[in-house]
Amino acid sequence: MTNLTNQRRLAAEILKCGVNRVWIDPESTLDLEEAVTRSDIRHAIRVGVIAKKAVLGVSRARAKAHDEELRRGRHRGPGSRKGSPSSRLPRKSRWMNLVRAQRRLLTQLRDTKKIERSSYRVYYRKVKGGMYRSRAHLLTSLKLANVLKEEAK
């Protein structure tokens, strides 16, 4: 085995890359042993005996596939969760989503004349007070109180 450390170092300087990115043709090692000057190394590079290896990158293919699976709802089970439910979706955001949905429902019912304006106001305040768990809970409460007018079919 021939020692080509000096040639490799010179080639790295000429090719403007690291020593580990210098490729030396294994067939031409004996010829390169005599190459001691920079011009000898430049000639070897021109001939193709010495070359610069491509920069190795880290592939994003696996990461992209995983992200696509996450978009489809995979990998989100209890075993993959870190942090409390409120750290994943803040309490305030959850509250805002709930209240907005319930207020939209009330507005819709008021505009379609399914509830009176006065009962709309009462139930609006109850929604603000956090009385109902969901839209379904609100609807059930409206039906039980006979506030909701159903059209005769």
Side-chain angles (χ1 to χ4, degrees), residues 4-5 28 31 39 49 85 151:
L4 298 174
T5 43
S28 310
D31 301 335
S39 60
V49 174
E151 302 97 41

Side-chain angles (χ1 to χ4, degrees), residues 10-11 14 30-32 36 52 58 77 83 99 112 130 132 150:
L10 285 170
I14 293 164
L30 294 171
D31 301 335
L32 277 176
V36 285
K52 191 199 293 192
V58 179
V99 169
T112 56
Y132 305 109
E150 294 293 330

Side-chain angles (χ1 to χ4, degrees), residues 38-95:
R38 285 175 181 270
S39 60
D40 292 342
I41 300 296
R42 276 194 207 95
H43 180 262
I45 291 168
R46 265 196 304 278
V47 173
V49 174
I50 296 175
K52 191 199 293 192
K53 287 185 196 170
V55 178
L56 291 178
V58 179
S59 171
R60 291 278 308 157
R62 287 179 302 281
K64 283 176 183 173
H66 190 263
D67 290 345
E68 179 56 38
E69 286 175 346
L70 283 173
R71 273 194 288 280
R72 290 178 58 200
R74 312 298 192 256
H75 309 285
R76 290 194 186 274
S80 302
R81 292 179 201 159
K82 286 187 175 180
S84 66
S86 63
S87 70
R88 290 172 68 84
L89 180 68
R91 286 183 191 92
K92 186 169 183 176
S93 300
R94 202 168 73 223
W95 168 257

Side-chain angles (χ1 to χ4, degrees), residues 12-24:
E13 281 179 30
I14 293 164
L15 292 169
K16 293 185 174 66
C17 69
V19 177
N20 293 327
R21 276 183 62 202
V22 173
W23 174 83
I24 297 174

